[in-house]
């Protein structure tokens, strides 16, 4: 999934999340295929970015994310269940980069 | 500082100069035991920016009703008066949260989402109430940091230099830590006992008598959001999970990963509540 800036939208991309107005009401439903008209309308609204079906990785590199994880757990790794919790978060982080 | 002095300063939140007007008015309305649904609706609808924020929040992925709630009265019908009271307070507190502690808002929202996901997974009847408990669990930090900035900064430094959780560091600077402070406020606002427990015992869920599962959920959500490194809540270390609380939830590694994926999806899909400053 990718959140991309509205000026980079191209026809044929599909919405992964609905486009909502300021009160949270749905304007365009999830799964809508973007036409040139829809893209122009979205660009006319005060929206900066939307979710479309293009892959993207988190902004922070994986190694840094894992290093921070080690640091956060440095005092509790041997406490009951903390190893299990840490492994779960670690696998979760690794899957974010796949 | 004497504990009674601290408590009376906190309970007189309506007169504190650092607290924004909306929160003071709201607090005065909510602490009235006879407050009615229509008085709350009336107060909110006279404040268009608050109305927008409440609707944005309930329609976001933080709560389970994306794009379906069109009015504050509708929200009260679907979510119940206590949840809406909690949301209103949560939203008004967010206004000052970033000033009190950068990142506490992301931490609180992350906990609210995680707690709702877990409550649903556990089949609880009112997952929104658990979610509001998680949203407000650190409200005591906001009040302490705003009202006693010098003392709070020294507590944060202590947490940093000694590598201890902020709740431990707070006890070196204050007679009571943020959980007790939050509980005083929750009682003042006449929240049900279960919700008070979720705030008061989020570090020691085994002490909760009236809402042990709900309090365990808020506690575990707090641990997990720290573990994921989302936001900032005054310290950079994860606190150890309470073993009894974890055994009550009995999550496998796959369960935890599923919860984290749900959290990630919510962050991605609800741009506004996460990114507004």
């Amino acid at each position: 999934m990718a959140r991309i800036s509205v000026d980079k939208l191209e026809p044929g991309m599909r919405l992964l999340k609905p486009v909502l107005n300021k009160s949270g009401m749905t304007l365009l439903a999830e799964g809508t295929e973007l036409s040139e008209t829809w893209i122009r309308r979205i660009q006319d609204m005060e929206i900066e970015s939307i979710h479309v079906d293009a892959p993207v990785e988190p902004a922070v590199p994986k190694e840094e994310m894992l290093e921070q994880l080690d640091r956060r757990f440095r005092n509790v790794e041997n406490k009951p269940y903390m190893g299990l919790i840490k492994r779960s978060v670690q696998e979760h982080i690794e899957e974010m980069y796949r | 500082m004497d504990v009674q002095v601290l408590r009376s300063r906190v309970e007189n939140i309506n007169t504190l100069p650092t607290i924004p007007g909306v929160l003071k008015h709201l607090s005065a309305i909510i602490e009235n035991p006879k407050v009615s649904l229509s008085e709350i609706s009336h107060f909110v609808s006279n404040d268009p920016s608050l109305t927008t924020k409440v609707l944005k929040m309930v329609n976001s992925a933080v709560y389970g009703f994306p794009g379906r709630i069109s009015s504050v009265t509708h929200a009260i019908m679907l979510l119940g008066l206590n949840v809406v009271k909690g949301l209103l307070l949560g939203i008004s507190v967010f206004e000052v949260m970033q000033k009190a502690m950068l990142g506490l808002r992301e931490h609180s929202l992350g906990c609210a989402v995680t707690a709702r996901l877990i409550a649903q997974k556990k089949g609880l009847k009112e997952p929104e109430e658990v979610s509001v408990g998680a949203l407000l669990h650190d409200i005591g930090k906001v009040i302490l940091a705003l009202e006693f900035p010098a003392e709070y900064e020294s507590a944060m430094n202590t947490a940093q230099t000694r590598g201890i959780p902020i709740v431990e560091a707070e006890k070196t600077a204050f007679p009571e830590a943020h959980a007790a402070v939050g509980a005083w406020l929750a009682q003042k606002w006449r929240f049900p006992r279960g919700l008070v427990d979720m705030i008061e015992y989020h570090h020691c869920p085994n002490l909760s008598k009236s809402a042990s599962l709900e309090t365990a959920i808020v506690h575990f959500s707090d641990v997990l959001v720290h573990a994921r490194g989302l936001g900032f809540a005054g310290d950079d270390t994860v606190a150890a999970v309470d073993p009894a609380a974890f055994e009550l939830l009995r999550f496998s590694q796959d369960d935890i990963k599923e919860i984290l994926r749900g959290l990630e999806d919510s962050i991605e899909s609800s741009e506004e509540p996460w990114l507004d400053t």
Side-chain angles (χ1 to χ4, degrees):
Chain A
M1 136 151 49
R3 179 191 289 170
I4 71 168
S5 142
V6 296
D7 53 13
K8 300 214 170 67
L9 294 174
E10 282 170 26
M13 287 179 170
R14 206 170 278 279
L15 289 179
L16 284 183
K17 300 276 171 187
V19 173
L20 311 175
N21 73 0
K22 283 197 167 152
S23 323
M25 307 302 287
T26 305
L27 299 177
L28 285 175
E30 178 183 327
T32 305
E33 191 179 316
L34 293 177
S35 61
E36 283 192 17
T37 317
W38 287 134
I39 293 174
R40 270 202 307 279
R41 301 261 160 86
I42 291 169
Q43 286 166 345
D44 286 342
M45 290 162 48
E46 287 174 16
I47 296 176
E48 283 182 1
S49 62
I50 59 172
H51 289 92
V52 291
D53 53 356
V56 77
E57 287 194 351
V60 182
K62 182 164 93 177
E63 292 66 32
E64 198 182 320
M65 201 94 137
L66 292 174
E67 250 175 59
Q68 290 171 356
L69 178 72
D70 281 337
R71 195 146 20 106
R72 290 195 292 274
F73 273 80
R74 67 188 183 273
N75 297 331
V76 291
E77 226 156 322
N78 301 320
K79 297 274 171 67
Y81 304 115
M82 292 309 282
L84 173 87
I85 294 173
K86 189 184 171 189
R87 277 195 303 283
S88 312
V89 178
Q90 188 170 341
E91 283 179 24
H92 168 74
I93 290 175
E94 277 161 3
E95 281 165 22
M96 284 164 70
Y97 291 86
R98 242 167 244 165
Chain B
M1 194 188 306
D2 182 74
V3 65
Q4 288 311 324
V5 173
L6 178 64
R7 182 163 187 167
S8 91
R9 287 265 295 263
V10 169
E11 286 181 338
N12 284 303
I13 178 174
N14 305 17
T15 61
L16 299 183
T18 51
I19 304 297
V22 171
L23 183 55
K24 284 183 192 172
H25 290 153
L26 193 62
S27 173
I29 289 177
I30 285 177
E31 70 178 272
N32 172 5
K34 294 197 195 97
V35 67
S36 68
L37 201 143
S38 63
E39 274 170 281
I40 292 188
S41 298
H42 184 72
F43 173 80
V44 178
S45 40
N46 277 333
D47 185 338
S49 104
L50 188 59
T51 308
T52 310
K53 285 175 191 155
V54 174
L55 291 178
K56 217 151 106 184
M57 183 84 159
V58 294
N59 282 314
S60 79
V62 178
Y63 288 86
F65 306 93
R68 284 170 30 204
I69 301 180
S70 54
S71 70
V72 174
T73 320
H74 190 188
I76 296 176
M77 292 301 296
L78 277 172
L79 301 168
L81 190 56
N82 282 318
V83 169
V84 172
K85 268 163 61 177
L87 278 178
L88 286 170
L89 288 164
I91 288 165
S92 319
V93 171
F94 280 151
E95 307 268 297
V96 278
M97 232 182 216
Q98 290 300 77
K99 209 169 96 190
M101 193 186 287
L102 203 65
L104 187 59
R105 183 168 125 148
E106 284 76 8
H107 172 76
S108 301
L109 279 167
C111 289
V113 173
T114 308
R116 178 177 63 83
L117 293 169
I118 297 176
Q120 281 171 332
K121 203 172 162 69
K122 287 286 164 194
L124 263 64
K125 273 202 219 92
E126 300 198 356
E128 292 82 14
E129 192 162 312
V130 187
S131 181
V132 161
L135 183 71
L136 298 177
H137 77 284
D138 273 347
I139 193 169
K141 284 182 188 166
V142 180
I143 307 301
L144 286 179
L146 281 178
E147 206 33 35
F148 307 97
E151 288 89 340
Y152 209 83
E153 209 184 311
S154 106
M156 275 167 67
N157 288 336
T158 306
Q160 179 74 39
T161 48
R162 290 205 228 152
I164 56 172
I166 182 74
V167 59
E168 298 303 323
E170 283 170 352
K171 288 175 190 161
T172 65
F174 297 98
E176 277 287 2
H178 67 269
V181 172
W184 295 336
L185 286 171
Q187 280 166 321
K188 173 188 161 73
W189 291 325
R190 297 173 195 279
F191 280 129
R193 187 63 232 177
L195 208 46
V196 177
D197 275 15
M198 289 179 232
I199 296 171
E200 183 162 16
Y201 301 129
H202 69 268
H203 295 289
C204 43
N206 55 318
L207 294 181
S208 167
K209 289 192 185 70
S210 50
S212 47
L213 181 58
E214 290 84 351
T215 308
I217 292 175
V218 173
H219 167 73
F220 181 65
S221 304
D222 190 20
V223 171
L224 200 57
V225 169
H226 264 109
R228 169 65 183 77
L230 201 63
F232 177 73
D235 48 24
D236 63 353
T237 48
V238 182
V241 73
D242 179 88
F246 193 78
E247 280 154 21
L248 194 61
L249 298 169
R250 280 190 303 167
F251 285 143
S252 68
Q253 212 161 307
D254 284 341
D255 291 328
I256 298 175
K257 282 164 65 182
E258 188 193 317
I259 296 162
L260 286 168
R261 277 195 299 274
L263 170 63
E264 230 65 64
D265 284 348
S266 286
I267 303 171
E268 292 252 322
S269 65
S270 55
E271 315 196 359
E272 295 288 355
W274 294 88
L275 299 178
D276 269 7
T277 47

